[in-house]
Amino acid sequence: MVVDGHRAMVWFFRFSLFIGLLSAVVTVIYFTPFPQLYHANCERPCHELDWPMICRVKLSLESHQLLGSWCADCHQNVSDCDLKDCLTADGIPRYTLSANRQLPGPAIQVCENDILVVDVTNRIPGQGVAIHWRGQPQRETPYMDGVAMVTQCPIPAHTTFQYKFRASQAGTHLWQIHTGNGQIDALFGPLIVRQADRREVQRQLYDVDDPNHIVVISEWPIPGKTESTTSSSATLLINGRAQTKIELDSEDPHYKHASTRFNVTGGKRHRMRVIYAGSQIGCPVSIQIEKHQLQVIAMDGHPIFPQVVQSLILAPGERIDFVLKADQTEFLSYWLKAETRPSCHKQSSSYALIDYMFRPSKEPSSLSRFNEETATTQTKVLSTVTENECAMSDHICLPKIKSMNKLPKDLAAEKLDLTLYLPFDFVSVLSSPEFPDPLLKPRINNITFMFPSSPLLSQAADLQESNSLCSDAKRPKYCMDEAGACQCVHVIDIPLNSRVELLLIDKGGDDLTDEHVFHLHGGSFYVVGSKKGLADNSLETIRKLNAEGGLLEKNLKDPVIKDTVPVPPGGIAVLRFRADNPGYWLLHDQKAAHWSQGLDVILHVGNSNDLPSVPENFPRCGNWVGPEYFLI
C-alpha cells in the first residue's frame, strides 16, 4: 500500500507539472497578439519574439513631370519644393519616370523575415518592366527575383504583378527596375531590413537608427547628352535632388538652404545608410561629411570590422552603413558631400546638410566615443574600388576590409568543388556594310549574352528546341561562322551545394578607365582576393598560377561578404560561395549600357527537381503561331 501511494503521488506530481506547463503555454499564446493579415506599414522597432508581419506595398510606375504645376512657386519659394508630387531632380523641367510620384521611389522598411507583398502596377505606355530586390536571396521564391525573361515575363503596360517573398537578408538594400533602358533605371528605392537588437552584431556602436537617415545617391542624365563612355552625361542627386554649394555671405560659412537635410541629436551616434543606385555613367563616388569622421560598419548588408575614416568611396549598386558621431560644437549644420572620382572625365558633386537639433556639450561623453578597440583612427579613406592610393597606409581598399563573420571552413579549403574562370572583354565588330564604323560588343568567355524568348525559370522546356541556349562547351551551330562574337543564352550549370570559386577577369577592349562592377542575383559571396594588372597573362597562365596558389594573396579567414563587386581595371576578382540556392541567377555588369548589350551570364544552380513548383497562374510569354487557315 505504501508503494502504491508513492506511485500515485509521483503520478499526481507529473500530471500537475504537465497541466502547469500547458497552462503557461496557452496563456502566452492567448495574450500574444496574432499578426493581422496585411500591414500597410511595417516600419517599427524589431524584436526577436515578434511574429513576422505581412507587409502590403503598392508601387505605381508612371511618367511624371519634373517641376510641374504641383510644385507651385518652387523656383522662388523653396518650401514649395516639398509639396506632394513635386519632383525637382536637377531643376530642369522635363518628363521622367517615377514610382508613386516619388524620386527615389518610396522606402520599404521592414524587419528581418517579414513577408513582403508588393503590387507593382505598370502605367508606362508600351513598356514592360520587372523589379529586382537587390540583396534578397529569394531562397524560397526564385520566381520573385525580378529579372525579365529569366525569372518572369515583363509586366505589360497597364497591368499589375504581385511580388511575394520573405525579407530574409537583413541590412541596407535596394529595389530597382531591371531593364536595359537608361531612363527606366532611374526607378529605384531603398529596401531596409532591420534586425532585432540582440541579433545586430554592431548594435553597441550606435545609439540611433532613424528611418529617415537613408542617403540615396544616383546619377541623373543631362538633357541633350547621349550615353557615352568618353564624356560625362549625368549629374549626382542626393535623395532625388541636386544641390550646389552657394555662399550667401562671408560671415556665415553655411548657406541659405539645402535640398536634402538630415537631423541629428548632439552627443548621439547615428547610423546612416548610404545607397549608390547608379548607373548610367557608372563613375565611383566619394562621400564625406564636413568636420566629421565616419565609422563604417556594414557593406551590402553584411557587417564588417569597423573602420573610422574621413571619407569613403563606393561603386554603383553598393551600399555602405556608417556611424556618424554628432560631437561637433562649432556650428549647427555641416555639409555632406557626394562627388564623382577624378577618374571620371567630368566631375560632378552634390550636397546635403547634417543639421544638429542642438549643440552637444563640449565635455567628452561616452555616448559619443567610437569603440577604440575595434576601430582604426589612422585610416583616411575606405574604398571598394582600386586606385593608386590603395598602396598608401592611410587607405584601406577592398582586399583588406574584413568581415565580422569568418569564412566557413569548407570554403577555406585550398581546392573547391568547382572553379569558374570568366574572362570578359569587348570585341570590335562591323554592324553592317552600310555602317562601316565598328561597334564594341561585350563578351564573357567569348560569348555575348542574349536574353531568352521565354523565362528560363518557369518555361525552360520552351527553350530546349530554340537552339539559343549555350555554354562554354556547347554552342549553337550559327556561332561557328561568327568571328569571336557568338550571341546566345549563356548558361553555366552548377551542381546544388557545390563549393564554387569564381574568377572575374577583365581582359579590356573598352575605353573605360574605371573598373567594371558585377552583381550576382540569388545570394552573396566572399571576396577572397582582388588585384589589378593580372589579366595581361593568358588564361592558361592564370589557371596554373591559381592552382599553385601564386596568382594573388587570398584572405581565407575573414573576407568581406558582398553581392556587388568592382573588378580592378585589367585585373581579377576572386569570389567564393556555396551554391545552395537552386535557380537561374543572373551575374551581370552593373552598368545598364553593358549588361543590356550582353555582359552577362546565368548561373544555373541545381536542376528542375530542386526548384519549388511554379506559382499557380504564373504569367507565361513566348512565341505564338496562329491556326492554319486558307483565304478563299
Side-chain angles (χ1 to χ4, degrees):
M1 295 295 294
V2 175
V3 174
D4 291 341
H6 177 71
R7 289 177 177 174
M9 291 186 64
V10 170
W11 181 88
F12 178 77
F13 174 77
R14 291 178 176 175
F15 179 76
S16 300
L17 181 62
F18 173 77
I19 294 297
L21 290 174
L22 182 62
S23 300
V25 170
V26 171
T27 301
V28 170
I29 293 177
Y30 179 79
F31 285 104
T32 300
F34 193 77
Q36 301 176 28
L37 182 59
Y38 292 114
H39 296 265
N41 184 5
C42 289
E43 181 185 308
R44 67 195 190 279
C46 304
H47 194 276
E48 66 271 15
L49 297 181
D50 288 344
W51 291 94
M53 285 188 175
I54 302 176
C55 311
R56 188 72 174 266
V57 179
K58 294 185 178 182
L59 297 178
S60 178
L61 314 182
E62 61 183 333
S63 179
H64 189 61
Q65 184 181 0
L66 299 177
L67 294 170
S69 58
W70 32 78
C71 290
D73 196 20
C74 175
H75 281 296
Q76 301 297 325
N77 183 3
V78 68
S79 62
D80 287 351
C81 300
D82 296 323
L83 294 174
K84 186 177 183 298
D85 295 340
C86 179
L87 305 184
T88 61
D90 59 353
I92 301 176
R94 63 180 188 233
Y95 279 93
T96 186
L97 300 177
S98 66
N100 293 6
R101 296 193 171 185
Q102 299 178 42
L103 179 67
I108 300 175
Q109 307 202 43
V110 298
C111 290
E112 187 179 25
N113 289 322
D114 279 352
I115 305 298
L116 268 170
V117 180
V118 186
D119 297 312
V120 178
T121 300
N122 178 15
R123 301 186 187 279
I124 306 171
Q127 178 69 58
V129 299
I131 287 189
H132 171 54
W133 311 92
R134 183 182 289 258
Q136 296 307 305
Q138 305 288 359
R139 290 188 177 276
E140 305 164 282
T141 51
Y143 304 95
M144 300 295 148
D145 191 47
V147 183
M149 307 314 294
V150 176
T151 63
Q152 68 174 92
C153 302
I155 306 170
H158 305 293
T159 66
T160 298
F161 182 92
Q162 187 177 81
Y163 291 91
K164 294 181 181 179
F165 63 94
R166 186 184 306 278
S168 60
Q169 179 58 59
T172 301
H173 303 298
L174 175 72
W175 63 262
Q176 60 188 149
I177 294 299
H178 207 281
T179 70
N181 187 304
Q183 184 183 18
I184 292 183
D185 283 341
L187 288 170
F188 52 81
L191 173 58
I192 310 300
V193 183
R194 289 183 172 81
Q195 285 184 310
D197 286 350
R198 290 189 181 182
R199 289 180 50 80
E200 174 57 70
V201 298
Q202 307 281 36
R203 183 62 184 86
Q204 76 281 3
L205 299 180
Y206 58 90
D207 307 307
V208 181
D209 185 6
D210 191 325
N212 296 310
H213 287 171
I214 304 173
V215 184
V216 182
I217 301 169
S218 57
E219 295 171 337
W220 190 250
I222 298 174
K225 296 285 187 178
T226 57
E227 261 193 15
S228 172
T229 58
T230 59
S231 64
S232 174
S233 61
T235 187
L236 288 181
L237 305 182
I238 298 179
N239 287 5
R241 292 180 174 180
Q243 172 70 39
T244 58
K245 193 176 180 182
I246 304 174
E247 186 172 2
L248 287 182
D249 55 60
S250 58
E251 296 180 1
D252 186 358
H254 297 293
Y255 312 98
K256 185 177 180 180
H257 52 254
S259 295
T260 305
R261 291 175 177 267
F262 301 96
N263 295 328
V264 298
T265 302
K268 297 288 186 179
R269 302 166 301 173
H270 298 260
R271 180 171 185 164
M272 308 288 292
R273 301 172 181 268
V274 179
I275 300 169
Y276 182 21
S279 65
Q280 187 174 19
I281 305 303
C283 289
V285 297
S286 64
I287 310 293
Q288 56 184 310
I289 298 178
E290 180 184 20
K291 297 184 181 298
H292 288 76
Q293 291 183 321
L294 317 176
Q295 186 180 34
V296 184
I297 62 172
M299 300 175 66
D300 290 0
H302 298 275
I304 67 167
F305 188 86
Q307 294 286 339
V308 177
V309 298
Q310 294 178 5
S311 65
L312 54 91
I313 302 171
L314 66 163
E318 294 186 305
R319 295 87 66 200
I320 286 185
D321 294 27
F322 66 82
V323 177
L324 176 68
K325 179 174 61 172
D327 62 348
Q328 297 300 303
T329 58
E330 187 175 0
F331 307 112
L332 285 176
S333 297
Y334 299 88
W335 287 108
L336 181 153
K337 179 182 181 181
E339 184 178 33
T340 54
R341 299 299 298 148
S343 56
C344 291
H345 297 278
K346 184 179 179 180
Q347 287 187 267
S348 177
S349 60
S350 190
Y351 294 81
L353 273 180
I354 304 294
D355 288 331
Y356 279 54
M357 303 304 293
F358 57 83
R359 285 187 175 90
S361 170
K362 292 187 178 182
E363 296 297 325
S365 168
S366 60
L367 285 177
S368 63
R369 291 177 181 170
F370 287 145
N371 188 337
E372 296 180 358
E373 296 180 357
T374 61
T376 304
T377 57
Q378 291 78 21
T379 305
K380 291 183 179 179
V381 179
L382 180 145
S383 176
T384 65
V385 303
T386 303
E387 299 184 311
N388 294 330
E389 293 83 358
C390 286
M392 300 172 62
S393 60
D394 59 355
H395 279 58
I396 179 169
C397 295
L398 192 59
K400 299 298 182 182
I401 301 173
K402 298 180 179 180
S403 171
M404 294 290 288
N405 300 311
K406 303 298 182 183
L407 181 69
K409 290 183 179 180
D410 60 339
L411 291 179
E414 182 177 346
K415 184 176 178 58
L416 301 188
D417 302 321
L418 181 64
T419 301
L420 299 176
Y421 295 88
L422 297 182
F424 60 90
D425 63 357
F426 290 74
V427 62
S428 180
V429 297
L430 292 177
S431 57
S432 68
E434 294 80 11
F435 298 95
D437 294 334
L439 300 175
L440 287 178
K441 203 168 188 179
R443 307 181 303 178
I444 294 180
N445 268 359
N446 298 324
I447 297 175
T448 298
F449 183 80
M450 176 179 68
F451 278 89
S453 58
S454 299
L456 278 168
L457 188 62
S458 58
Q459 297 176 236
D462 297 350
L463 297 168
Q464 297 304 319
E465 299 179 0
S466 67
N467 195 32
S468 61
L469 296 177
C470 64
S471 65
D472 297 338
K474 181 181 178 181
R475 305 191 182 192
K477 292 182 179 179
Y478 63 79
C479 284
M480 305 305 176
D481 299 328
E482 298 189 22
C486 177
Q487 187 170 7
C488 50
V489 184
H490 190 182
V491 179
I492 298 177
D493 293 324
I494 300 177
L496 186 63
N497 292 318
S498 297
R499 298 169 301 155
V500 180
E501 181 173 83
L502 188 152
L503 285 80
L504 291 168
I505 307 166
D506 183 2
K507 303 295 288 187
D510 59 340
D511 55 0
L512 287 182
T513 56
D514 296 313
E515 48 257 84
H516 290 269
V517 182
F518 278 81
H519 171 56
L520 176 64
H521 294 230
S524 301
F525 45 75
Y526 295 86
V527 185
V528 300
S530 177
K531 191 174 182 179
K532 64 186 302 185
L534 295 174
D536 291 337
N537 296 292
S538 66
L539 186 57
E540 292 73 17
T541 301
I542 292 174
R543 289 176 182 269
K544 181 179 179 181
L545 289 174
N546 190 49
E548 296 173 351
L551 181 64
L552 50 76
E553 182 181 356
K554 296 179 182 179
N555 179 0
L556 300 181
K557 181 182 178 182
D558 49 10
V560 66
I561 308 171
K562 292 177 63 59
D563 57 51
T564 304
V565 60
V567 181
I572 297 176
V574 184
L575 322 176
R576 289 191 173 192
F577 60 93
R578 178 174 284 280
D580 57 359
N581 189 14
Y584 289 87
W585 306 113
L586 189 66
L587 173 66
H588 65 90
D589 186 272
Q590 172 66 28
K591 188 175 180 181
H594 288 159
W595 70 256
S596 63
Q597 296 174 14
L599 201 55
D600 325 66
V601 65
I602 291 176
L603 304 184
H604 176 209
V605 178
N607 54 49
S608 58
N609 295 328
D610 300 316
L611 293 170
S613 58
V614 180
E616 187 177 358
N617 298 323
F618 197 71
R620 294 180 61 86
C621 51
N623 298 321
W624 179 81
V625 178
E628 185 174 337
Y629 63 92
F630 296 91
L631 294 177
I632 300 176

